[in-house]
């Protein structure tokens, strides 16, 4: 069994003359990412590896989660402005020794991908997190594996 956790980057800012790729997190985003990572850790959501889009807002969200989890962080350009197949490309690169992986990415791609593997999710808010059980022993079996939504957390709806 594998566990795939999808995390939409936290609320970002868009200062003048800032390219999309370089957008930082807003103060609310910084707070939500810290709260969400602590909430997940306190609820025994295990993660073995964090893989992020290299865009600043996604990578900053990932780094805040890493302050809580203390793991190895990687980046994959497939997770920036992603299509559904980009997520699969990132998943197929994962080492099979990793049982629970969190991917940090962007909308609309992350919502579309989540909806393609589950009928239970509609739209990811910023810093929304969905966890899926993937019935496989190797990440290479992802496409044909049975997938089940385990949890869906939204920052505005969790109790800390």
């Amino acid at each position: 069994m594998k566990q795939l956790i999808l995390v939409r980057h936290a609320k970002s800012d868009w200062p003048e003359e800032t390219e999309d790729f370089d957008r930082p997190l807003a103060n609310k985003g910084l707070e939500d990412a810290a709260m969400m990572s602590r909430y997940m850790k306190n609820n025994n959501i295990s993660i073995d590896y964090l893989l992020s889009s290299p865009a600043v807002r996604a990578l900053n969200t990932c780094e805040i989660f890493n302050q809580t989890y203390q793991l190895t962080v990687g980046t994959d350009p497939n997770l920036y402005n992603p299509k559904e197949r980009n997520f699969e490309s990132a998943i197929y690169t994962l080492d099979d020794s990793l049982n629970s992986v969190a991917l940090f990415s962007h909308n609309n791609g992350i919502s579309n991908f989540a909806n393609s593997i589950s009928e239970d999710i509609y739209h990811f808010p910023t810093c929304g997190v969905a966890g899926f059980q993937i019935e496989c022993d190797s990440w290479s079996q992802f496409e044909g594996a049975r997938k089940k939504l385990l949890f869906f957390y939204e920052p505005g709806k969790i109790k800390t």
Side-chain angles (χ1 to χ4, degrees):
M1 263 336 147
K2 302 290 186 191
Q3 180 172 262
L4 180 67
I5 299 169
L6 302 176
V7 184
R8 182 179 174 198
H9 67 77
K11 181 78 175 151
S12 60
D13 201 359
W14 202 325
E16 282 187 46
E17 300 181 27
T18 301
E19 295 294 324
D20 180 71
F21 187 89
D22 297 320
R23 291 170 49 200
L25 291 179
N27 287 338
K28 178 171 179 20
L30 295 169
E31 293 166 8
D32 284 351
M35 175 191 63
M36 185 64 77
S37 64
R38 287 190 306 266
Y39 179 82
M40 291 177 60
K41 182 88 173 194
N42 291 341
N43 283 282
N44 300 312
I45 306 295
S46 68
I47 303 174
D48 300 325
Y49 183 63
L50 307 171
L51 185 63
S52 178
S53 155
V56 170
R57 61 195 181 276
L59 190 53
N60 285 350
T61 303
C62 179
E63 289 167 342
I64 291 169
F65 270 68
N66 197 38
Q67 290 171 5
T68 301
Y69 278 91
Q70 302 293 306
L71 300 168
T72 301
V73 172
T75 60
D76 188 325
N78 283 312
L79 297 176
Y80 178 62
N81 283 335
K83 303 276 189 247
E84 292 162 38
R85 289 283 177 207
N86 294 73
F87 286 93
E88 291 176 4
S89 294
I91 289 165
Y92 292 138
T93 67
L94 297 172
D95 189 286
D96 287 334
S97 68
L98 302 169
N99 290 315
S100 180
V101 175
L103 303 182
F104 294 77
S105 191
H106 312 262
N107 247 356
N108 292 323
I110 200 165
S111 288
N112 291 341
F113 180 65
N115 281 312
S116 77
I117 61 174
S118 171
E119 296 176 4
D120 299 312
I121 300 207
Y122 304 102
H123 180 75
F124 270 70
T126 52
C127 212
V129 178
F132 297 90
Q133 176 180 292
I134 314 299
E135 292 185 18
C136 63
D137 297 318
S138 170
W139 291 106
S140 66
Q141 301 167 331
F142 178 83
E143 186 174 3
R146 175 185 240 137
K147 299 154 188 85
K148 176 184 171 189
L149 180 70
L150 298 174
F151 56 83
F152 183 62
Y153 301 137
E154 299 179 48
K157 294 183 178 179
I158 62 171
K159 308 280 188 255
T160 55

